[in-house]
Amino acid sequence: MKNLFSNLKGDLLGGVTAGIVALPLALAFGVSSGLGPSAGLYGAIFIAFFASLFGGTNTQISGPTAPMTAVSMVVIATIIAANDGNLEQALPTILVIFLLAGLMQIGLGLLGFGKYIRYIPYPVVSGFMTAIGVIILVTQLLPSMGYYAKEDASYVETFKPQAEEIILQNILKDEAGEGILVLQDFKETISRANQITDADILKEAKTLAGKESSGVLGTFKVLSKAVKNINYLELLLALGTILIIYGFKRITTAIPSTLVALVIMTSVALIFNLNYIPIEEIPTGIPKPNLEMFTQFSFSNVKPFIFTAFTLALLGAIDSLLTSVVADNMTKTKHKPNKELIGQGIGNSIASVFGGIPGAGATIRTVVNIKSGGKTKLSGMIAAVMLLIILLGLGGIASKIPAAVLAGVLITVGIGVMDYKGLKAIPSLPKDVKIGPLKLSSEVIIMLVVLVLSTFWDLVYAVGIGLVIASLIFMKKIGDLTTKSSDVSPLKEKAWEDEAGFPKNLTQEVFIKHINGPLFFGSTSNFQQLAKQIPDTASTVIVRMDRMPYIDQSGLFVLEDIIIDLEANGIQVLFVGVQEQPKYMMERIDIIPDLVSKEHIFNTFSECLDWVKSNIKDKY
């Protein structure tokens, strides 16, 4: 408790600022999910509070994120469609799935799976994050143009024959379930069919129209219709939001540009009494638990989505722990991965009971919290309380936010979440795989497979397939290279034979780092401990790569980050014994010669030792 209040002023400022930043994103993710803005706000409140209280990253701010919302959106749409478009009927099943995901996260933490998350290869994460960006960007095109397929009478009309067929099928299923279906006598069927009204057919047709136009492919199917029926007011509101978000950042970053855009565009719409489309109404008052999820859900309805719940749990774990690493780098601390998973699971479980969408550690909000002074768990809890205060005091006003404004917010989120670092590296990565007459980069193949499958098919299976391909390619490369074990970061460096004559008076000034095997996605986490091994007195680090025959993209980027950090602290880096493949990779992304010049690369340790004696001995 003493530590919790050790940085009260900084945590208060960090939490309040992060809460304000989270507001427009929470509303936007809630609308995008299909459950409405209140679901996003409830998720942000409960996940932020309980993940901070029970989690293992002191400065992390949690809540709905783009990846979690993208998967949740698919789950919600599928279950609503299975319930004839009736959200109220589908909600208990949806919330139970979210609850299962939270409980699974707790289970992953208790079983110690947090330490295994680092085995996700960089190309898989890169392809997935870029796909999330594409999905969000594309699916917000229709709302930004004020086009909603369910409200397009001519489009809905085309689904009426299919709607009548589905309604008839449901009647036959109901009769079969009741044991009154008689194939020789359809009197009861005809009687029930006669009770079908035009309103029933229209409702089912709207559901079909909404389902057909959902997702990336659905958006492309109706995009031409949307263009022909553009609501220019909605388009201007969305474009105005986007311009303010990007433009205001050029003026100052002290105030979140997303919040500024939300306030300005909503104020303009209200002051000029514009005929815009508002978001759904946000309930005021203290959030209440949705106990119907325990009394009305059917296990048979939940069973097909158990694997999806596990996917949400795993995705939330990856998303959160990646953000934890960012927080560690900024605060020079070390998070507790298993405890973090338990905290995230508790937060998601409680949020589901109150009707909130699932979330994870949010990078932008966490960075804002740290930069504003947040240092302890209290900052995340304050962010949650801040959102609750906004809900209680400004819920009615928030309900008047134009839907197009939140679409504009989400478009900028989609653009921002893409992995541009990975995309920029595509042309420079070595073409090490031959497919027919073509030579391609294995890293690029993995990233593009995950990107395409995630965007146009299924996020869950895309990641699984990406992991399988990455593992197979890696195993082949390791088999071909016949490497030794990849022990890249022993706690105590053992001197190699040719280092026996190293001057003792330079041992405090020069630190020698050995890499005993490939530097790949499974070993980068240990290699990141390099900075902690370096004595405070060291001004030079010698990285011995004599026994490192291979480095992949994950290892490459980790090595790049470490060198940048070392140089920022005034520590120069020397390479010894760089082999052909690692040298080629480092040259492709300009680690050599931009970060480590050719004058600082030596074929043998004796050559490096001569340089050290000539350039460092005068410091003693």
Side-chain angles (χ1 to χ4, degrees), residues 25 32 40 46 221 315 362 383 404 440 484 519 533 580 593:
L25 296 174
S32 176
F46 290 104
K221 287 178 183 178
L315 175 59
L440 303 169
K484 298 178 181 179
L519 185 59
Q533 296 175 246
E580 184 178 351

Side-chain angles (χ1 to χ4, degrees), residues 269-301:
L270 291 174
I271 291 171
F272 291 96
N273 197 27
L274 300 179
N275 186 26
Y276 64 89
I277 302 171
I279 62 173
E280 298 176 26
E281 185 176 351
I282 300 175
T284 56
I286 299 291
K288 297 178 182 178
N290 191 322
L291 300 180
E292 293 178 351
M293 64 184 288
F294 300 108
T295 59
Q296 294 186 8
F297 91 96
S298 169
F299 181 73
S300 60
N301 293 334

Side-chain angles (χ1 to χ4, degrees), residues 396-474:
I397 297 175
S399 298
K400 297 179 181 179
I401 295 172
V405 170
L406 291 187
V409 170
L410 284 170
I411 286 173
T412 63
V413 171
I415 293 171
V417 81
M418 295 182 195
D419 180 34
Y420 296 103
K421 185 177 183 179
L423 292 173
K424 287 178 181 177
I426 288 178
S428 60
L429 292 173
K431 297 175 175 60
D432 54 354
V433 174
K434 191 173 182 180
I435 302 177
L438 298 175
K439 289 195 72 176
L440 303 169
S441 166
S442 58
E443 311 277 356
V444 174
I445 290 172
I446 296 166
M447 186 184 72
L448 292 180
V449 166
V450 175
L451 170 58
V452 173
L453 293 182
S454 296
T455 303
F456 296 104
W457 182 42
D458 188 285
L459 286 160
V460 178
Y461 291 114
V463 172
I465 292 171
L467 287 172
V468 170
I469 295 174
S471 300
L472 292 174
I473 290 176
F474 170 73

